[in-house]
Amino acid sequence: MNNKKSKELYEKGQKHLVGAVNSPVRAFNSVGGNPLFMEKAHGSKIYDVDGNKYIDLVLSYGPMILGHGNKKVVEAVQEQVDAGFTFGASTENEIELAKMVCDAFPGMDKVRFVNSGTEAILSAIRLARAYTKKNHIVKFAGCYHGHSDALLVAAGSGLATLSIPGSAGVPNDAVKNTLIAEYNDIDSVKKHIAECDDIAAVFIEPIAGNMGTVIPSNSFITELREITKQAGILLVIDEVMTGFRSKFGGAQELLGVEADITCLGKVVGGGFPVGAYGARKEIMQMVAPLGAMYQAGTLSGNPVAMAAGISTLEELKSQNPYAKFNTQAEQIEKALLAAAKENGIDLTVNRFGSMVNPFFKAKKVTNFTEAQECDTDRFTKFFWGLIENGVYIPPSQFEAWFLCSVLSDDDMNKITNAINAAMKLAK
Ligand SMILES: *Cc1c(COP(=O)(O)O)cnc(C)c1O
């Protein structure tokens, strides 16, 4: 495989960018080698600067659920670009996307748009504290909720990949109100609730995707809803990754729970920088200009980004790809397990809707500790094997693979063949 131009750009990028990237997982630190520089993408394929073509299972870490360059989305964006990029004033687009989002989430009466998942989450922390007049928050080890100070502890993929426990520059004071619980272990939450009467909110990824895909048990998620409700603690469900991905709306509906505050990002912006947080009326009433909790943004609700979001959600609704996602994810799971068996490799697979993860270990993965026990050296070999064979997956054992709605049967065959070839190389 020719990587000449990617290598040159990686060198060149080091001069004025930090590690030649604007987000650390892109640096390929955990898999070594040279990160790929991308040039263009169409449908299910992405092309690097050396002209190599891949089936894209990264999809910009989630947003490109329709594949790249969906015609309707492109048209909607171009139309808005012609009309103006940003006005610092309200537009009808915002009202339209807000209605689509609130209609899709049963527990949401009102929503505020921001510019990233991180921003949605940090606003939700402030909102939960404002509403409950309490200070502590609970998060689960291995869940990632963006890079705001208070939640940058035990935060999954990016950090696990870099092997740093938290982050330099986060003062102890910023995390002293953050309590860590274990995913799928309700007693670890009960213990905090018993010991602390100052908990504003519990934050959770409904399907974890940032320690690799990890699925909550029915009893865990149901009990979590019950005990938080009883204790007057808000349940903040972080659907930045899962929103509109496994169904139209949120994973919480599939799991049979309802959040007090829901956070969104990724798909809702259709590839543009959008985040959102929403809740029942009485909670959202706290937010300025209606209430005393301040939160603002120069580019929030940007009309171009809103146009991309609206058209993406419209397309998702009309394509309704969710059954197909399940079928294709199951095919990928079967291919992975068969190839592993063939080569005598220990492997377990987690999947939910259009999210899939192989973990290189024999036993099931239900929390971060178990995820960390897998053979990451083997993952690295497997990763490069897939790249060599034209399939682009995230450069980390701890990131979910994503499917898009335009994956064809031919793509599926190619993915299966690439898995077979890469698993041999991982032996
Ligand atoms: C990606 C992600 C975030 C952060 O969103 P950004 O847009 O990268 O700031 C937060 N929570 C979850 C679950 C995510 O997957």
Side-chain angles (χ1 to χ4, degrees):
M1 198 177 80
N2 177 13
N3 271 346
K4 191 167 168 280
K5 267 197 179 164
S6 272
K7 281 196 173 118
E8 282 167 13
L9 289 178
Y10 187 50
E11 292 298 311
K12 197 172 164 190
Q14 300 287 351
K15 185 161 185 205
H16 294 300
L17 288 164
V18 181
V21 297
N22 281 301
S23 194
V25 77
R26 295 179 199 164
F28 280 37
N29 273 19
S30 70
V31 291
N34 197 91
L36 301 174
F37 277 66
M38 294 303 176
E39 185 168 272
K40 60 181 183 182
H42 299 294
S44 59
K45 315 291 189 309
I46 191 163
Y47 301 78
D48 70 18
V49 287
D50 290 289
N52 300 305
K53 172 176 161 184
Y54 311 89
I55 296 168
D56 186 7
L57 300 181
V58 180
L59 298 168
S60 194
Y61 295 87
M64 304 313 293
I65 193 165
L66 300 171
H68 297 276
N70 176 279
K71 203 163 161 279
K72 297 249 173 67
V73 180
V74 170
E75 280 168 11
V77 167
Q78 279 172 345
E79 197 179 312
Q80 184 58 51
V81 164
D82 287 341
F85 304 168
T86 177
F87 311 119
S90 295
T91 59
E92 196 170 350
N93 281 358
E94 293 157 80
I95 301 176
E96 199 176 326
L97 187 57
K99 178 170 169 22
M100 292 178 93
V101 169
C102 288
D103 285 350
F105 285 82
M108 204 191 286
D109 298 326
K110 285 175 191 284
V111 64
R112 167 63 58 86
F113 291 112
V114 292
N115 304 293
S116 67
T118 295
E119 210 187 322
I121 296 284
L122 72 86
S123 307
I125 300 175
R126 190 177 303 147
L127 178 57
R129 286 173 169 162
Y131 183 76
T132 59
K133 301 193 171 56
K134 293 188 269 186
N135 290 309
H136 283 70
I137 52 179
V138 176
K139 84 174 284 284
F140 294 94
C143 283
Y144 177 68
H145 302 290
H147 67 83
S148 66
D149 280 2
L151 287 170
L152 215 47
V153 271
S157 56
L159 295 166
T161 301
L162 289 175
S163 303
I164 44 179
S167 169
V170 175
N172 289 340
D173 272 2
V175 292
K176 74 166 194 257
N177 292 326
T178 306
L179 308 168
I180 308 296
E182 194 74 48
Y183 207 82
N184 272 321
D185 176 0
I186 199 68
D187 289 338
S188 70
V189 185
K190 284 182 177 162
K191 186 169 166 286
H192 287 311
I193 295 178
E195 287 169 3
C196 177
D197 60 4
D198 184 44
I199 300 174
V202 175
F203 283 73
I204 188 166
E205 288 182 69
I207 304 298
N210 289 289
M211 48 178 142
T213 306
V214 174
I215 296 148
S217 75
N218 278 338
S219 62
F220 171 69
I221 199 86
T222 316
E223 268 199 84
L224 183 66
R225 179 62 282 188
E226 274 166 24
I227 61 173
T228 46
K229 193 170 256 166
Q230 274 165 19
I233 295 168
L234 299 186
L235 181 59
V236 181
I237 302 195
D238 178 352
E239 299 237 31
V240 171
M241 184 181 287
T242 51
F244 301 101
R245 183 151 271 297
S246 305
K247 80 177 281 294
F248 192 85
Q252 49 191 300
E253 215 179 328
L254 290 173
L255 298 170
V257 283
E258 203 170 287
D260 296 303
I261 302 175
T262 297
C263 294
L264 293 169
K266 300 194 168 118
V267 172
V268 77
F272 284 77
V274 179
Y277 62 101
R280 297 188 297 280
K281 206 164 132 192
E282 76 259 26
I283 299 177
M284 290 308 282
Q285 221 82 288
M286 297 295 300
V287 180
L290 295 182
M293 187 214 108
Y294 192 72
Q295 184 273 310
T298 301
L299 292 174
S300 292
N302 174 269
V304 180
M306 295 291 107
I310 294 164
S311 48
T312 296
L313 295 194
E314 276 170 352
E315 267 295 278
L316 273 175
K317 213 167 207 176
S318 77
Q319 288 185 13
N320 194 11
Y322 300 104
K324 182 180 152 193
F325 281 154
N326 275 327
T327 310
Q328 290 183 329
E330 190 183 355
Q331 285 171 0
I332 291 178
E333 174 179 8
K334 283 193 176 140
L336 284 164
L337 291 172
K341 196 167 171 204
E342 171 99 21
N343 292 286
I345 290 175
D346 287 339
L347 192 86
T348 183
V349 177
N350 284 354
R351 68 179 168 91
F352 189 89
S354 55
M355 292 160 61
V356 194
N357 259 109
F359 292 94
F360 285 94
K361 63 177 280 194
K363 282 204 227 137
K364 282 210 285 197
V365 172
T366 66
N367 61 33
F368 192 40
T369 312
E370 290 170 6
Q372 283 178 302
E373 284 160 8
C374 55
D375 184 343
T376 50
D377 290 340
R378 187 156 268 162
F379 173 82
T380 295
K381 289 185 201 154
F382 181 65
F383 169 83
W384 285 110
L386 285 184
I387 294 288
E388 294 276 340
N389 286 279
V391 175
Y392 181 55
I393 63 161
S396 165
Q397 166 71 79
F398 306 106
E399 297 277 357
W401 305 8
F402 296 113
L403 308 187
C404 68
S405 64
V406 292
L407 270 184
S408 64
D409 289 345
D410 183 49
D411 290 332
M412 290 302 294
N413 286 335
K414 286 190 173 128
I415 292 170
T416 305
N417 292 339
I419 286 171
N420 289 338
M423 206 64 88
K424 273 200 193 91
L425 296 172
K427 211 153 62 172

